[in-house]
Amino acid sequence: MDRDHAAALFANDAFYNAFATGDLAAMEDVWAKAHPVSCIHPNDGIILDRAAIMDSWRQILENGGLDIHCAEAEARVRDGFAVVTCFELLGDGCLAATNLFVKEGSSWKMAHHQAGPSATRPAPKDRQGPAVQ
Amino acid sequence: MDRDHAAALFANDAFYNAFATGDLAAMEDVWAKAHPVSCIHPNDGIILDRAAIMDSWRQILENGGLDIHCAEAEARVRDGFAVVTCFELLGDGCLAATNLFVKEGSSWKMAHHQAGPSATRPAPKDRQGPAVQ
C-alpha cells in the first residue's frame, strides 16, 4: 500500500472517529475547505453547502457519538482524489457508503459523502475502525 | 458554464439515457475503462469489479429500460474528476445519487455510482433528462 492510499484510509478512519465520538471540531476538520463539498445522508436529500453540511452533523451528533463501525473500507486513489467505499455498521443496521477525498495541501479532505441502506452486510471478522472491540 | 462542466452533465445524461432506454452497450460505454470503478445500488452492497458492475446492469435492464428521470443534477468539476449529484425519480419513488466521472482522453467516464432512497423530492419543475415530457 503506498503512502497516498494509506493516507486516504487514515482520513476515512478520522471521519468515522469523529462520527463515533461525536467530535464536531474533528468532523469540521475532516471536510474540505478549499474544494466544494456535498453530502447525502440516508433518506435525507442532497446538501450542497458546507455550512448546511456542518449543521446536519451538528444535529446528528447533538446527543454525542453514535455506535458506528466502518467495515471493508476500500480506497481507489488517483491524482488528486480518492474514492473510499465501505460499510457502516450502525447498531443493528448496515449502510453502504461513498467517501470522496481530495488533496488539500498534504492532507486528504472529504469532498463528498453518501450513505444508504444495504441489505448485504460484511462478515463480522471484517469490522474495522476505532469503536470496534 | 464552462466546457468541462457541460461535458460532465452530458455524461450524466448519457448514463440516465442508457438506464431509461435499457441500452446495455451505451451503459457499457458510460463507464470508465482505464480507471477502477465501483457501484453501490440501492440496498444492495458494494461492487468493486467492472465485470460484476456490468452484470448488475444486465440484470437491472434485462426487461428493458426503467421509467427513470434525473432531476436537479449539479456538477462540481475539478482537475480530472467531476462529482455530479442528482435525484432519480423512479416511478413513484425518489432516490438521491452520487455520480463520479473521470477524464479518459477527452471524455468524462463514470468511475463510481451510488443511489439510495430519499424522502426529499425535487419540485416537479426541476425534472430533467431524456424521459421527461
Side-chain angles (χ1 to χ4, degrees), chain A residues 17-89:
Chain A
N17 252 318
F19 206 154
T21 59
D23 186 337
L24 267 173
M27 182 60 84
E28 160 83 20
D29 189 56
V30 162
W31 284 79
K33 290 183 175 63
H35 288 72
V37 291
S38 45
C39 185
I40 302 176
H41 292 300
N43 210 27
D44 199 24
I46 301 167
I47 315 176
L48 296 168
D49 171 76
R50 194 179 199 281
I53 291 170
M54 289 311 137
D55 274 348
S56 74
W57 287 112
R58 197 166 294 116
Q59 290 173 40
I60 290 167
L61 302 176
E62 66 183 350
N63 295 317
L66 278 73
D67 176 26
I68 190 165
H69 308 261
C70 170
E72 293 189 8
E74 290 278 344
R76 270 85 182 274
V77 179
R78 311 299 302 187
D79 280 349
F81 72 97
V83 183
V84 180
T85 57
C86 60
F87 290 101
E88 298 178 352
L89 304 173

Side-chain angles (χ1 to χ4, degrees), chain B residues 26-63:
Chain B
M27 181 61 83
E28 160 82 22
D29 189 56
V30 162
W31 284 80
K33 290 183 175 64
H35 288 73
V37 290
S38 45
C39 185
I40 302 176
H41 292 300
N43 210 28
D44 199 25
I46 301 167
I47 316 177
L48 296 168
D49 170 76
R50 195 180 199 282
I53 290 170
M54 290 309 138
D55 274 348
S56 74
W57 287 113
R58 197 167 294 116
Q59 290 173 41
I60 290 167
L61 302 176
E62 65 182 351
N63 295 317

Side-chain angles (χ1 to χ4, degrees), chain A residues 100-125:
Chain A
L100 176 69
F101 295 91
V102 294
K103 263 290 182 60
E104 285 192 354
S106 59
S107 300
W108 289 106
K109 297 292 182 179
M110 184 168 274
H112 178 77
H113 167 73
Q114 178 170 7
S118 174
T120 305
R121 294 178 65 92
K125 67 178 173 58

